[in-house]
């Protein structure tokens, strides 16, 4: 999987780090209350043409 | 005269303007102190006494002919080593950028130069503002001046250590998930993550574009407000820079807290996460002190801490991975282990997860800011524990995520870490004072009142 996204130079130790990191990321995903979202909930970075804010 | 090491910015400004203190004498005193003691603390990654003396001589000449630039004129400061200073390396404390010479000043560095500050050097950081404390990097990590065997927090670790050790009265850090407030908490100094966009990020190496903030660390609330007023302001070349202003941060400093409404987010540090008993007692005592000073103090509820944290880390790791993907593909071995692992957490975050995290961010920020229809500021924990031993990887791993700082990178308003006392072991304890966007003046007002009533800031580490 790592090689598929271009991380082809990771050592075995690095891959273990990646595995731990991915588990941590999955745990965070599980903690996100996405069930509370409805289609009208917009991302915080919705684009503003012209650059003004 | 106060020992020059412990002058505040405000005190130094008065002496320098009145020509009762020479900028050169001041710089030499701090240079001598750094040369004697920083070998044990590693606050500086690149100490530049020659630049400091040049800046000090220029300031002395300008002040002598009446051309005073303001409260930072002739006052020493340092920059976290992810902030560009023209002509010097910006290394991010990493082998990857060991020889990366900055072509121009960061916007904040240019502002500090224009204010007549005396640049003392680049300060230690966690690798790329995320990987630390690390012992596998070209330079050692900074240590806590209160006990050198202990962690000084991060990622603006050198900024916290240098300020607490009396090497500098002011330093600049950055904060993406708590990295100004963590060293402020652990080193017993004052540090702010200002409103998002108030201080330009231009010339600062990004960790996560939508969460990065630049903020000062100082020994007092007044000094912190002074520094923020100098570095804040719209920068049209920073896409995240806000056109809104907060007004002067120091405008309300001495108004006291009588009648102000303070909401304590107690569940962050008692239910969502259980803080160390001394930390919880320190925050509760601080809340009581604010009530004694005339504030109306009550408990308030917001979303669980874990939801804020998960949202912050999903966005942070995704954006950080995007910044680092090319280097991770080409030279993963040149990262320290902690930075590599923490950044790679973004490698398999799905696009839908990232978008959903930003949708939740908007909802959570709106709900949090709605609290301020009934309060003026919120108070809660910063770190859940006193600083752990720096050489105990298990203790670092345990305490590193135990914090309540990340929510306010998401919500974007000001969050200020202030000392609330010391543990039985003599290590700093802290709390955060939080406001809605562009209310830095009220946040500082509460910090100032608390500081004047408790004087924790008057205590200094014994060993430096």
């Amino acid at each position: 999987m790592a090689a598929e996204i271009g991380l082809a130079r990771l050592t075995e130790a690095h891959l273990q780090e990646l595995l731990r990191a991915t588990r941590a990321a999955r745990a965070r995903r599980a903690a996100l209350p996405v069930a509370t979202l409805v289609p009208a909930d917009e991302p915080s970075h919705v684009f503003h043409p012209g650059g003004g804010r | 005269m106060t020992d020059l090491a412990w002058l505040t910015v405000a005190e130094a400004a008065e002496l320098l303007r009145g020509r009762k203190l020479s900028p050169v004498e001041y710089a030499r005193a701090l240079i001598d102190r750094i040369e004697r003691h920083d070998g044990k603390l590693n606050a500086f990654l690149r100490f530049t006494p020659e630049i400091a003396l040049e800046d000090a001589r220029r300031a002395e000449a300008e002040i002598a002919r009446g051309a005073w630039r303001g409260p930072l004129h002739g006052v020493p400061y340092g920059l976290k080593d992810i902030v560009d200073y023209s002509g010097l390396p910006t290394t991010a404390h990493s082998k990857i950028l060991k020889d990366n010479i900055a072509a121009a000043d960061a916007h904040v560095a240019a502002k500090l130069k224009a204010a007549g500050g005396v640049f003392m050097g680049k300060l230690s950081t966690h690798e790329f503002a995320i990987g630390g404390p690390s012992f596998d990097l070209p330079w050692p990590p900074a240590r806590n001046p209160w006990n050198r065997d202990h962690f000084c927090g991060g990622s603006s670790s050198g900024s916290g250590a240098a300020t607490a050790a009396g090497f500098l009265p002011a330093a600049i850090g950055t904060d993406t998930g708590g990295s100004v407030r963590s060293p402020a908490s652990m080193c017993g100094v004052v540090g702010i993550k200002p409103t998002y966009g108030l201080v330009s990020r231009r010339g600062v190496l990004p960790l996560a574009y939508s969460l990065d903030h630049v903020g000062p660390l100082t020994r007092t609330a007044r000094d912190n407000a002074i520094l923020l007023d100098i570095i804040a302001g719209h920068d049209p070349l920073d896409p995240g820079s806000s056109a809104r202003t907060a007004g002067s941060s120091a405008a309300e400093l001495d108004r006291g807290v009588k009648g102000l409404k303070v909401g304590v987010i107690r569940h962050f540090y008692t239910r969502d996460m259980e803080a160390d008993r001394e930390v919880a007692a320190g925050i509760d005592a601080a809340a009581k002190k604010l009530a004694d000073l005339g504030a109306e103090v009550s408990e308030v509820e917001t979303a669980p801490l874990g939801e804020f944290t998960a949202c912050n880390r999903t966005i942070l790791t995704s954006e950080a991975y995007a910044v680092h993907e090319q280097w991770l593909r080409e030279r993963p071995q040149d990262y320290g282990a902690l930075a590599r692992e923490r950044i790679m957490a973004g490698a398999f975050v799905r696009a839908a997860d990232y978008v959903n995290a930003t949708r939740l961010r908007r909802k959570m920020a709106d709900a949090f800011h709605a609290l301020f229809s009934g309060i003026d500021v919120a108070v809660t924990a910063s770190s859940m524990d006193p600083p752990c031993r720096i050489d105990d990887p298990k203790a670092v791993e345990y305490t590193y995520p135990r914090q309540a700082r990340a929510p306010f990178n998401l919500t974007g308003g000001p969050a200020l870490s202030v000392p609330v006392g010391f543990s039985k072991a003599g290590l700093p304890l802290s709390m955060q004072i939080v406001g809605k966007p562009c209310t830095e003046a009220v946040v500082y007002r509460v910090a100032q009142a608390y500081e004047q009533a408790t004087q924790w800031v008057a205590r200094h580490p014994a060993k430096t």
Side-chain angles (χ1 to χ4, degrees):
Chain A
M1 267 175 79
E4 276 165 29
I5 58 168
L7 296 177
R9 296 189 186 189
L10 300 183
T11 65
E12 188 54 43
H14 299 165
L15 285 169
Q16 293 303 316
E17 291 167 3
L18 179 57
L19 200 56
R20 277 197 301 271
T22 306
R23 284 192 195 118
R26 284 190 185 134
R28 282 179 208 126
R29 185 198 302 161
L32 287 174
V34 294
T36 64
L37 291 171
V38 297
D41 289 321
E42 302 230 2
S44 55
H45 59 267
V46 169
F47 179 64
H48 292 274
R53 192 147 61 104
Chain B
M1 190 193 293
T2 303
D3 181 350
L4 295 182
W6 304 113
L7 282 180
T8 65
V9 172
E11 288 167 344
E14 195 179 323
L15 292 169
L16 291 163
R17 188 181 190 187
R19 300 178 66 188
K20 293 182 182 140
L21 174 64
S22 149
V24 177
E25 178 194 347
Y26 189 18
R28 281 210 172 106
L30 295 190
I31 288 168
D32 177 65
R33 184 176 178 81
I34 293 163
E35 284 172 346
R36 277 189 287 122
H37 296 294
D38 195 40
K40 295 167 270 187
L41 290 179
N42 310 315
F44 281 84
L45 186 148
R46 192 174 312 276
F47 179 41
T48 55
E50 63 290 344
I51 298 178
L53 288 171
E54 197 180 311
D55 286 351
R57 286 185 199 111
R58 184 181 312 113
E60 186 165 65
E62 288 173 352
I63 293 170
R65 62 172 189 269
W68 189 67
R69 294 178 185 229
L72 199 68
H73 203 174
V75 177
Y77 71 95
L79 297 172
K80 180 178 184 178
D81 199 23
I82 64 167
V83 179
D84 282 347
Y85 185 99
S86 181
L88 290 184
T90 300
T91 70
H93 217 116
S94 180
K95 191 174 176 186
I96 303 272
L97 292 182
K98 213 156 61 71
D99 302 312
N100 169 48
I101 308 291
D105 288 328
H107 189 74
V108 65
K111 285 205 156 207
L112 293 165
K113 275 187 184 175
V118 171
F119 175 69
M120 298 287 270
K122 294 300 212 66
L123 298 164
S124 294
T125 167
H126 289 179
E127 190 182 16
F128 288 111
I130 191 170
S134 293
F135 292 87
D136 56 353
L137 303 177
W139 305 272
R143 290 174 177 265
N144 197 314
W146 295 93
N147 184 323
R148 293 196 295 270
D149 294 330
H150 285 250
F151 185 33
C152 60
S155 60
S156 310
S157 39
S159 306
T163 317
F167 294 166
L168 302 167
I172 298 298
T174 67
D175 193 314
T176 305
S179 292
V180 161
R181 293 161 289 155
S182 163
S185 294
M186 300 208 196
C187 293
V189 298
V190 178
I192 194 167
K193 181 207 72 66
T195 299
Y196 183 80
L198 194 65
V199 180
S200 171
R201 298 161 307 134
R202 178 159 53 102
V204 179
L205 208 63
L207 174 59
Y209 304 99
S210 70
L211 294 168
D212 286 343
H213 301 66
V214 178
L217 292 92
T218 56
R219 289 191 292 272
T220 67
R222 183 179 301 278
D223 282 2
N224 210 274
I226 289 171
L227 263 290
L228 188 58
D229 277 347
I230 291 169
I231 63 175
H234 181 55
D235 176 10
L237 296 181
D238 172 4
S241 181
S242 178
R244 287 175 72 188
T245 61
S248 167
S249 297
E252 299 182 30
L253 262 177
D254 297 307
R255 283 183 60 190
V257 295
K258 214 168 153 73
L260 278 187
K261 295 186 173 63
V262 176
V264 183
I265 312 173
R266 226 169 163 267
H267 65 86
F268 272 2
Y269 61 94
T270 57
R271 185 182 74 216
D272 302 349
M273 213 170 248
E274 217 174 297
D276 173 275
R277 251 182 268 166
E278 290 185 288
V279 170
I283 300 166
D284 291 345
K288 183 170 180 315
K289 176 61 74 178
L290 290 172
D292 291 344
L293 292 171
E296 295 171 26
V297 180
S298 59
E299 261 187 65
V300 294
E301 282 263 343
T302 185
L305 179 58
E307 288 181 6
F308 280 109
T309 305
C311 196
N312 173 278
R313 292 306 282 199
T314 300
I315 296 170
L316 189 159
T317 54
S318 303
E319 293 185 4
Y321 184 74
V323 172
H324 287 268
E325 186 177 45
Q326 197 64 21
W327 285 323
L328 284 168
R329 282 180 175 170
E330 290 169 2
R331 42 191 305 208
Q333 71 284 359
D334 287 341
Y335 283 83
L338 278 178
R340 187 173 50 236
E341 182 168 333
R342 289 174 185 164
I343 296 169
M344 283 201 299
F348 294 110
V349 174
R350 301 175 313 148
D353 294 335
Y354 176 78
V355 173
N356 283 339
T358 69
R359 293 166 74 197
L360 284 164
R361 179 181 190 176
R362 186 187 289 282
K363 281 187 79 160
M364 291 164 88
D366 287 348
F368 181 71
H369 294 142
L371 281 180
F372 288 85
S373 61
I375 59 173
D376 296 296
V377 297
V379 157
T380 193
S382 175
S383 298
M384 298 289 173
D385 307 285
C388 67
R389 283 190 67 99
I390 195 172
D391 58 354
D392 184 346
K394 283 194 160 28
V396 170
E397 198 182 334
Y398 172 71
T399 58
Y400 184 82
R402 283 172 50 81
Q403 48 107 329
R405 295 179 279 266
F408 312 115
N409 295 81
L410 272 184
T411 57
L416 179 75
S417 176
V418 298
V420 298
F422 295 85
S423 69
K424 285 198 186 82
L427 295 164
L429 306 172
S430 62
M431 70 173 173
Q432 284 185 102
I433 304 167
V434 182
K436 66 179 185 185
C438 296
T439 61
E440 275 76 356
V442 179
V443 167
Y444 280 122
R445 176 178 161 187
V446 174
Q448 172 74 352
Y450 175 75
E451 184 181 292
Q452 293 296 296
T454 55
Q455 287 298 317
W456 298 119
V457 298
R459 232 167 101 168
H460 304 303
K463 294 189 180 192
T464 49

